[in-house]
Amino acid sequence: MGSADTSTSLTSATTRNTDTATPKACSPLTGASRLREMLHDPSKVVVCPGVFDGLTARLALAAGYDALYMTGAGTSMSRLGWADLGLATLNDMRANAEMIASLDPSVPVLADADTGYGGPIMVTRTVTQYARAGVAALHIEDQVQEKRCGHLLGKQIVDRAVFLSRLRAAVSARNNLHSDMLIIARTDARQTYGFEEAVARLQEAIKVGVDVVFPEALQSHEEMAEMCRRMAPTPVLLNVVPGGVTPECTIEEARGMGFRVIIYPGLCISAVVESVAQELKTLKTTGTTSSRGSVGAGVSIKDAFNLCGLQECIDVDRQAGGKAYDTVNGEE
């Protein structure tokens, strides 16, 4: 998992944003307002690691990221144990987004909202619930309700008019709430109907009033740069999926093409699957864990608790006059 030094740095870093005990002067900006502020800076690229639960969100916060992305695929796999095939409902997604956003409301959380989960009325409900959950931005796509991951083959796309009706409902719902939440229009049309149709859909989406556009599964660096050129000055989001349809590039290369937001939905999923699978295999085959006998190696359960707010909870209890946790940090 890592060295003791790494554990210490992770746990101490959580106090940067998650101190609930000590009142302090802080910006009144919400996560959505902060995201808008970042996007107003033309030199800024908003980099969002994909998180899917409280632990991966805490790790990303401890690492100092300016924004987080709640991945729909990760939510489906972690909450349901199923691949991203449209099985997660509004309730699944909203609840996960709300929990992640609540860990540090000053850090913007961008969240997958799939197709909006229905027609205009349902899209309105989705946007309302996400906004009230503290989500800074959500994206709505143009796949059919029986959707699938954007980098899988065989996607089915709704008519342009249906897509735009979803977006109109989303923008209207957001405006009626007087919310700062950003609406992101995602199109998966490139695979089925070609690059020009993807461009046309996103240009129409901008006219509807969306804040950011998300062209999924572009197929070359040339397409990526051209999409940014045609969408300007509207911010364009890049989805980085290793092994997916879109060619990989560095953050600086993406900045040079014109992208303003970059999400890495599989970042934590891949790391968790690989590391946990290895630990389980080690215990199964050797009868012990990989860190046994190595003094200071690995991350202890106390390290994990500290990462997830143990000290802040102790401080809250003490300030209220309680003594319930006075022995928590003692020798055991």
Side-chain angles (χ1 to χ4, degrees):
M1 292 280 293
S3 68
D5 289 342
T6 301
S7 303
T8 301
S9 65
L10 284 176
T11 55
S12 62
T14 61
T15 60
R16 179 176 70 92
N17 288 318
T18 58
D19 185 353
T20 60
T22 305
K24 51 189 171 184
C26 61
S27 169
L29 292 178
T30 64
S33 298
R34 285 186 179 275
L35 180 57
R36 288 184 180 277
E37 187 178 70
M38 286 189 277
L39 290 175
H40 284 156
D41 180 355
S43 66
K44 177 77 174 177
V45 175
V46 182
V47 177
C48 309
V51 301
F52 54 84
D53 63 5
L55 183 57
T56 52
R58 287 281 193 175
L59 287 165
L61 290 171
Y65 282 92
D66 292 330
L68 308 179
Y69 175 66
M70 188 203 79
T71 156
T75 298
S76 182
M77 287 187 278
S78 64
R79 293 181 68 89
L80 306 179
W82 289 99
D84 183 18
L85 297 172
L87 300 177
T89 66
L90 167 59
N91 290 340
D92 296 321
M93 299 288 280
R94 189 270 311 153
N96 205 33
E98 183 174 31
M99 178 273 295
I100 292 169
S102 73
L103 296 177
D104 187 342
S106 70
V107 176
V109 172
L110 290 71
D112 189 348
D114 295 318
T115 63
Y117 309 106
I121 295 173
M122 194 64 190
V123 170
T124 298
R125 183 167 183 257
T126 297
V127 169
T128 299
Q129 291 198 11
Y130 271 54
R132 290 174 176 167
V135 171
L138 61 77
H139 62 76
I140 292 177
E141 66 201 51
D142 56 0
Q143 287 195 54
V144 297
Q145 297 300 331
E146 297 79 17
K147 59 148 289 178
R148 61 186 64 188
C149 171
H151 287 256
L152 294 178
L153 297 178
K155 293 180 291 186
Q156 297 180 42
I157 310 300
V158 298
D159 291 342
R160 195 187 300 185
V162 174
F163 178 43
L164 295 176
S165 74
R166 292 174 182 173
L167 299 177
R168 288 191 192 96
V171 171
S172 178
R174 185 271 312 278
N175 293 345
N176 289 338
L177 289 169
H178 303 289
S179 168
D180 282 337
M181 185 173 69
L182 287 78
I183 305 298
I184 303 171
R186 165 179 157 173
T187 182
D188 288 72
R190 170 63 185 89
Q191 182 186 94
T192 304
Y193 298 115
F195 180 76
E196 290 300 330
E197 176 62 18
V199 168
R201 288 186 176 221
L202 294 181
Q203 288 175 334
E204 290 293 324
I206 293 170
K207 294 176 183 178
V208 166
V210 304
D211 305 283
V212 179
V213 293
F214 176 177
E216 179 65 300
L218 296 177
Q219 298 184 10
S220 69
H221 287 140
E222 292 73 21
E223 283 190 359
M224 294 158 70
E226 178 65 10
M227 181 64 76
C228 291
R229 188 187 70 79
R230 297 232 212 151
M231 295 299 114
T234 301
V236 182
L237 181 152
L238 173 64
N239 183 17
V240 177
V241 179
V245 176
T246 302
E248 292 185 60
C249 62
T250 66
I251 292 173
E252 285 307 310
E253 288 170 340
R255 184 202 305 270
M257 293 177 197
F259 289 101
R260 301 295 312 286
V261 183
I262 310 176
I263 60 173
Y264 295 83
L267 183 67
C268 292
I269 297 170
S270 298
V272 167
V273 170
E274 181 178 7
S275 61
V276 173
Q278 183 57 50
E279 289 298 316
L280 291 169
K281 180 180 179 181
T282 297
L283 177 60
K284 183 74 172 178
T285 57
T286 69
T288 186
T289 63
S290 61
S291 61
R292 183 178 176 87
S294 301
V295 177
V299 177
S300 72
I301 190 63
K302 188 173 177 181
D303 291 331
F305 282 1
N306 281 330
L307 174 71
C308 293
L310 172 62
Q311 190 57 53
E312 287 81 356
C313 292
I314 293 172
D315 290 343
V316 167
D317 184 70
R318 285 176 178 167
Q319 288 191 9
K323 298 182 179 180
Y325 302 100
D326 281 356
T327 62
V328 167
N329 282 322
E331 294 296 327
E332 297 180 353

